[in-house]
Amino acid sequence: MTRTLFTGGKVFDGTGSPTAEADVVVENDRIVDVGTGLDGDVVVDATGHTVLPGLFDCHVHLMFGTPDLVHSLNTPFSLPFYEAIGNMRLTLECGITTVRDALGADLGVAEAVRRKLVAGPRMQIAINMVSQTGGHNDDWMACGAHVASIPPHPGRPNTVADGPEELRKVIRELVRAGADVIKIASSGGVMSPRSNPRHAHFRDDEIAMIVQEAAAAGIAVMSHAMSADGILTAVRNGVRSIEHGVFLDDRGIEEMLARGTWLVPTLMAPRMLLEQAAAGVPVSEVVLAKAHVVAAQHAESFRSAVDAGVKIAMGTDSGVGPHGDNLNELTLMARNGMKPAQALHATTLSAAELLGVDNELGTLAPGKRADVVLVEGDAEQHVVDGTLRQAIRAVYQDGVRVI
C-alpha cells in the first residue's frame, strides 16, 4: 500500500483542538496516522499551509442556479441534470467534499457520484420538500397555473400534502425514491410568493407523523423553518435540524438546547437573492420585500443561537445564488458571533455529526476517510478576511486528489 505523507503544515483536525504543526498519513482511502515525525512513500509538502478535513455544506441545491422563474420556464427539462455536474465541480473547488442536497437532486444524481461517473461531493438527498397546501413548496401561482422550477417526475414525487395520512404516504414515496433525509417546510418562505415566512405550517400531529415515518425508515427530518412558531412545532416533534431559523426566539432556543436540535442558518440565502436582484435578475416585488425583512432579522437570531450554545452546522442554500461562493457562509458566521475556529468546526465535525457520518468523516483522525483540504496560509484568518476560497490549493476525496 502507498503511504501518502502530508508534512510541514499546520493541522486543523476538526476535533476542537487548536491548529498545530503535525503530519497526516493516508493509505488508500483512509487516514492511518496524525502526529509528528511520520513517514510516507509519497510526500505532499504542506509547508505554509493549513491541512483541514474535507468540508461540509448541509444545505445546497445542486440542480438550481438562479431564482429567475422565467429562465426556469425556458430551460429544457433535462438541462439542470447536466448543469449539476458543473455545480458539483464548483462545490468541490471550495474544499466541500460532502453535501446535503435539500431539494432538487434525485437518486440518479447521487448515484452518478457514488458510481464515480462524475466528480462531485458525496451527498445525502432530500429529493423534494414536503409542504402543506399553500406552503413553501406549493407551486400554485395567483394566475391559477402550477409553475415549478423542477417539475415532478418519476424520480421526484409531488410532495404537497395535508393531514397525517396523506403525509404518511408522501414520506413513504420519498423513501422509495431514495431519500436519505426528509425535508419539510414548517413555515412559509421567501421565494414562494403565496406563503408568509412568519406563519407556521403543519400542525403537531402532521409533523409527528412525518418524523415517525422517517424514523421507521432510519432517516432524519430537516425543516425549513423561519417563523418562531414553525420552529417550535418542528423541534418539539423531533426534527433533527432547523434550516434558516430566521425568527428564532428564546422559546425556540430553549427547546433546541433541550432536544439537541441543530441549526443550519444559511446566512447567505437572503443576501444571495438581494445581490442577484441588484444585478438585474428578475425577482418579484413580493419576494424581494420578504428577502429584505428576513435579511434584517437573520443575523440577530443567529447571534442569539451562538451565544446560547445551540449546535450549528454550516449550510448555504447555494442554488438560490451561485455555486462556488459557499465559503462566504463561514465569514458571515464569523462576523456574526462565531470565532473562526467555531465556524470551521461547523463545517467539519458538527456537520458530520448532524448528517450522522462522524464515524467516517469530519475530522483528521486514524480510521477516517481521507478527505483532506490544503489551504495556503492561516485558514482561520482566511475565514475572517473572506478569502478562504481563494486560498484552497488542493482537495482530496477518499485519498484521491480531485482538485
Side-chain angles (χ1 to χ4, degrees):
M1 284 187 244
T2 300
R3 287 170 58 93
T4 301
L5 172 70
F6 296 84
T7 186
K10 294 186 175 181
V11 171
F12 177 94
D13 65 10
T15 66
S17 299
T19 302
E21 293 183 2
D23 300 333
V24 177
V25 177
V26 169
E27 286 185 5
N28 295 331
D29 63 347
R30 298 283 169 171
I31 297 167
V32 295
D33 206 354
V34 179
T36 57
L38 305 179
D39 60 11
D41 306 311
V42 176
V43 175
V44 176
D45 185 4
T47 303
H49 291 69
T50 308
V51 184
L52 300 170
L55 308 182
F56 284 69
D57 189 330
C58 297
H59 194 124
V60 301
H61 300 283
L62 294 170
M63 296 277 288
F64 298 164
T66 174
D68 184 349
L69 188 57
V70 174
H71 173 83
S72 297
L73 289 171
N74 287 280
T75 297
F77 169 76
S78 59
L79 185 59
F81 290 89
Y82 293 93
E83 291 176 332
I85 297 171
N87 296 337
M88 289 189 286
R89 173 76 182 186
L90 290 169
T91 305
L92 281 177
E93 289 175 357
C94 294
I96 294 168
T97 58
T98 305
V99 300
R100 187 174 58 167
D101 189 284
L103 184 163
D106 67 1
L107 183 58
V109 176
E111 280 295 305
V113 174
R114 291 166 188 164
R115 299 182 188 192
K116 302 189 184 305
L117 299 177
V118 297
R122 62 177 63 79
M123 68 184 76
Q124 294 183 3
I125 55 172
I127 299 177
N128 208 346
M129 176 167 56
V130 183
S131 166
Q132 70 177 45
T133 297
H136 187 43
N137 200 33
D138 187 342
D139 59 19
W140 185 90
M141 298 294 170
C143 65
H146 286 265
V147 181
S149 297
I150 301 178
H153 58 80
R156 186 172 178 267
N158 178 49
T159 52
V160 176
D162 303 284
E165 291 309 314
E166 281 190 13
L167 288 162
R168 185 197 299 272
K169 182 173 179 59
V170 163
I171 302 311
R172 290 176 178 179
E173 288 176 340
L174 285 168
V175 171
R176 179 180 66 185
D180 303 300
V181 61
I182 299 298
K183 183 186 180 185
I184 68 171
S186 64
S187 81
V190 171
M191 293 184 65
S192 47
R194 303 298 298 171
S195 75
N196 187 329
R198 289 186 179 273
H199 291 171
H201 290 178
F202 289 133
R203 305 288 76 83
D204 287 86
D205 61 343
E206 293 174 311
I207 297 179
M209 176 63 80
I210 292 167
V211 172
Q212 180 186 60
E213 284 299 318
I219 59 179
V221 179
M222 59 191 291
S223 182
H224 161 103
M226 293 188 171
S227 77
D229 287 346
I231 294 167
L232 198 59
T233 305
V235 173
R236 70 173 171 241
N237 284 288
V239 305
R240 188 164 175 83
S241 67
I242 294 296
E243 313 296 305
H244 317 304
V246 173
F247 299 106
L248 178 65
D249 62 12
D250 290 344
R251 289 190 309 155
I253 288 173
E254 183 178 341
E255 194 74 14
M256 291 179 76
L257 289 170
R259 295 178 178 272
T261 312
W262 269 265
L263 173 66
V264 181
T266 69
L267 296 171
M268 288 175 60
R271 291 166 175 81
M272 288 190 293
L273 188 57
L274 292 171
E275 287 170 2
Q276 290 190 88
V281 174
V283 178
S284 79
E285 289 300 318
V286 172
V287 169
L288 203 54
K290 289 193 287 184
H292 280 289
V293 171
V294 165
Q297 176 64 29
H298 208 171
E300 182 179 336
S301 63
F302 173 72
R303 287 190 198 99
S304 296
V306 171
D307 291 344
V310 171
K311 294 191 291 189
I312 293 172
M314 193 277 261
T316 61
D317 222 356
S318 291
V320 171
H323 296 272
D325 293 338
N326 309 57
L327 300 183
N328 291 346
E329 181 74 14
L330 299 179
T331 300
L332 288 172
M333 294 165 90
R335 290 177 180 173
N336 287 284
M338 272 191 160
K339 296 177 181 177
Q342 287 179 297
L344 287 172
H345 184 263
T347 192
T348 52
L349 181 56
S350 183
E353 289 173 341
L354 168 59
L355 271 56
V357 295
D358 50 300
N359 62 324
E360 292 277 289
L361 296 161
T363 59
L364 296 174
K368 294 291 185 76
R369 289 190 174 276
D371 284 17
V372 180
V373 179
L374 295 188
V375 174
E376 186 173 6
D378 184 338
E380 292 181 38
Q381 188 60 48
H382 285 304
V383 168
V384 174
D385 296 340
T387 53
L388 184 58
R389 167 67 186 83
Q390 294 88 333
I392 289 175
R393 296 293 174 261
V395 179
Y396 294 78
Q397 190 178 42
D398 286 333
V400 177
R401 185 168 181 173
V402 291
I403 299 295

